[in-house]
Amino acid sequence: MPLIETSFFKYGKTETDALKQADPVLGDAISRLGKVERETMPDLFHALIYAVVGQLISVKTAESIWQRMQHHFKSMDPVTIAGHFPEQIQACGLTRKKAECIHRIAAKICSGELDLSELHHLPDQEVIRRLTALDGIGQWTAEMLLLHALERPDVVSFGDVAIRRGMMKLYGLDSMTKKEFDGYRERYSPYGSVASIYLWKISFE
């Protein structure tokens, strides 16, 4: 199986203390849960492909497909992926649309049309703009790359169902408007990504 390098989102007392001060309710949850680890993928291609795989499906299903892809391909690099037909990618359990999206991204990288390394030097909104210009990449997918690969510090995705569910559970809400969500997101800033890590955890408790 190809080796996919992973790490954990880097944060510590500075971030958690600031969140505890900014939001006592979240602070109580942080104290109760202790350090929560969130896996990251430093390789931007791997992270982007994994985010595409995970669109609109459960974490468990996404992980199963990801494992099949690693077994199927000798190397999870753009040249290898671009060298296969979308049908071969789809055979790992993906929809046709996702398989075509993954193949197209790999081909663009191979042709030099897309340089993911440039994203390291761009502000969040420009990263989102560039990624969402690609067919099949929406706001949520771009935000997942910001958090899980680039480790940007202030990402709280409204498009993530689990984050919204965690937020509603935390504050005892039956529903949540975008305006309410944005209010909490602003409260967590500039450490929204760490808040997201805890909200994910709370969502699945």
Side-chain angles (χ1 to χ4, degrees), residues 101-150:
C101 175
I102 289 169
H103 184 268
R104 193 162 47 242
I105 289 169
K108 284 179 180 288
I109 292 171
C110 290
S111 70
E113 187 178 344
L114 176 62
D115 183 358
L116 291 177
S117 66
E118 293 179 346
L119 302 182
H120 285 288
H121 313 293
L122 300 174
D124 291 2
Q125 289 305 312
E126 180 61 18
V127 171
I128 291 171
R129 189 192 70 78
R130 291 203 185 186
L131 289 175
T132 54
L134 301 169
D135 289 340
I137 304 297
Q139 177 91 8
W140 176 85
T141 306
E143 287 171 338
M144 292 306 100
L145 194 81
L146 282 172
L147 196 154
H148 292 123
L150 296 170

